[in-house]
Amino acid sequence: MFVRMVKAATAEQLSAVRERAVAAGLAVYEEQGSTGSTLAILGPSGASAALEQEFGALAGVASVSRATRPYRLASREFRETPTVVKVRDAVIGGGTLTLMAGPCSIESREQLFEVAQGVADAGATLLRGGAFKPRTSPYAFQGLGLDGLRLLAEARERTGLPIITEVMEPAQVDMVSEFADVLQVGTRNMQNFSLLNAVGRTRMPVMLKRGLSGTIEEWLLAAEYILAAGNTQVILCERGIRTFETAARNTLDLNAVPILRKLTHLPVIVDPSHATGKRWMVAPMSYAGVAAGADGIMVEVHPKPEEAWSDGEQSLTIPMFQRLAGELRSIHTLVTPLHNDPGAAGASPSKK
Ligand code: PEP
Ligand code: MN
């Protein structure tokens, strides 16, 4: 249930609500909105009508309502204002355009530094690169592991770009957190609940990619695990889902962008590289993602895509990324006022 406090509620009144919730065995999460605090009071058994009435009668409480969605902390019902994630000098969400770019896998110092400098010069806002790679075949390159993380940290020093990299299992969370600025939870781990809990216990920004067959509701419930563990810095990434269509690697579900803007306050990134699997499709689907209202894109870039150790077919060259970055900035400038104008044909209503 959500307990909305009056704007003038005192600290004592807030504590009284918290204490009652804790006594009932429920967890409390607080969100400070422009009209006062909202407390999400959550637990496996949910709230009884009697308890709701009790909360409604407490001093300082403006209203009590039941959540209408299975996810709670991820919903706009709990938090109306968009979440903005700050990563060193980069800001994700809140009207900014995030450009995450870099190789699928870190292969060598030379390869990583060349891409890192190239994408930094082109205006990328974060550097991506896989050190622990979830590969379909056990015989495919699995990533450089810790050596890759060290190289990423060096690339950050050289370029000033914050870094995002995948963490595949709970046992790696401490190690990856030492180096990364954003932890990436990959598609294949969207519902790895012990990993979600583990990244939730950190206070690091986490980018949660959509599962290959994950519905939007399942995805938001996966994000809810991270939020429920106390980590508010969650970013969602649409990277294509598996459908009957085989002409492209996956099907980029661009419907997800406006749907998520309506349902959740979390920032949304589109990954057209994994969504399409084809270099020539990355630019058009990046344009579409930004036009649809995404907070940015993640793309794979390689100095020599034809020699890449993973995902070469979908990797852009550095000049291709340079050009794309400029085009996306223009599109973003054009569409931002439309997404913020409640009267525009494509405005995203946050209410039903
Ligand atoms: C990646 O971004 O490196 C990756 C493996 O993507 P996904 O989890 O979307 O397949
Ligand atoms: Mn890849």
Side-chain angles (χ1 to χ4, degrees):
M1 99 186 85
F2 298 118
V3 173
R4 282 177 227 287
M5 305 297 291
V6 297
K7 197 165 184 181
T10 62
E12 289 70 31
Q13 290 170 337
L14 269 161
S15 302
V17 176
R18 283 179 177 280
E19 277 161 31
R20 183 64 195 93
V22 172
L26 300 166
V28 187
Y29 300 84
E30 185 180 345
E31 182 55 45
Q32 283 164 6
S34 55
T35 56
S37 290
T38 298
L39 298 172
I41 298 183
L42 308 172
S45 53
S48 66
L51 203 54
E52 278 175 25
Q53 273 201 337
E54 239 191 86
F55 280 114
L58 290 177
V61 171
S63 66
V64 179
S65 59
R66 280 198 186 196
T68 66
R69 317 265 184 198
Y71 42 86
R72 313 282 203 245
L73 306 174
S75 75
R76 288 261 190 186
E77 288 175 310
F78 177 54
R79 182 184 159 102
E80 176 65 33
T81 355
T83 285
V84 174
V85 176
K86 297 205 169 73
V87 191
R88 294 177 182 258
D89 292 339
V91 178
I92 303 171
T96 59
L97 176 66
T98 293
L99 301 176
M100 302 180 179
C104 176
S105 306
I106 300 151
E107 299 166 7
S108 67
R109 171 177 265 107
E110 296 68 35
Q111 172 249 16
L112 179 64
F113 290 0
E114 187 175 346
V115 189
Q117 202 54 60
V119 301
D121 293 345
T125 57
L126 276 94
L127 174 66
R128 66 145 285 145
F132 294 98
K133 295 301 303 174
R135 302 305 301 281
T136 301
S137 163
Y139 308 118
F141 175 55
Q142 304 286 309
L144 294 182
L146 182 57
D147 288 340
L149 295 177
R150 292 198 177 107
L151 290 174
L152 265 183
E154 271 189 62
R156 172 177 55 210
E157 289 312 306
R158 293 167 75 109
T159 60
L161 290 181
I163 54 185
I164 173 167
T165 195
E166 178 157 355
V167 54
M168 284 174 54
E169 49 180 285
Q172 290 171 350
V173 170
D174 284 347
M175 187 209 313
V176 178
S177 303
E178 251 185 68
F179 295 91
D181 298 302
V182 181
L183 300 174
Q184 178 170 317
V185 174
T187 293
R188 292 153 190 84
N189 271 320
M190 185 194 84
Q191 285 189 316
N192 178 340
F193 299 115
S194 46
L195 180 61
L196 298 175
N197 282 323
V199 297
R201 284 191 295 269
T202 73
R203 292 297 177 265
M204 305 262 307
V206 176
M207 188 167 88
L208 177 64
K209 296 191 99 177
R210 182 179 184 176
L212 275 174
S213 308
T215 64
I216 290 175
E217 187 163 294
E218 287 163 344
W219 187 13
L220 287 171
L221 281 164
E224 187 82 5
Y225 269 84
I226 306 172
L227 297 164
N231 187 344
T232 58
Q233 306 293 286
V234 181
I235 304 151
L236 300 169
C237 177
E238 163 60 45
R239 48 77 73 207
I241 50 174
R242 189 158 283 186
T243 67
F244 56 82
E245 182 55 73
T246 54
R249 183 177 179 181
N250 290 293
T251 298
L252 180 58
D253 180 14
L254 277 181
N255 284 352
V257 176
I259 292 172
L260 290 169
R261 279 174 68 94
K262 180 171 152 80
L263 298 180
T264 182
H265 49 87
L266 300 173
V268 180
I269 299 294
V270 165
D271 169 354
S273 303
H274 293 92
T276 65
K278 296 181 198 302
R279 185 175 316 125
W280 58 272
M281 289 182 72
V282 169
M285 298 319 277
S286 300
Y287 306 155
V290 172
D295 295 287
I297 56 149
M298 167 181 264
V299 289
E300 290 183 337
V301 183
H302 196 283
K304 295 196 188 89
E306 63 290 352
E307 290 173 20
W309 297 1
S310 59
D311 285 349
E313 268 186 67
Q314 67 195 36
S315 297
L316 302 179
T317 60
I318 294 169
M320 284 173 94
F321 176 73
Q322 277 168 341
R323 177 163 179 176
L324 177 63
E327 292 164 343
L328 291 178
R329 282 190 288 267
S330 306
I331 294 171
H332 184 249
T333 306
L334 192 69
V335 299
T336 299
L338 300 175
H339 287 295
N340 292 335
D341 174 0
S348 330
S350 61
K351 302 228 161 51
K352 269 205 264 189

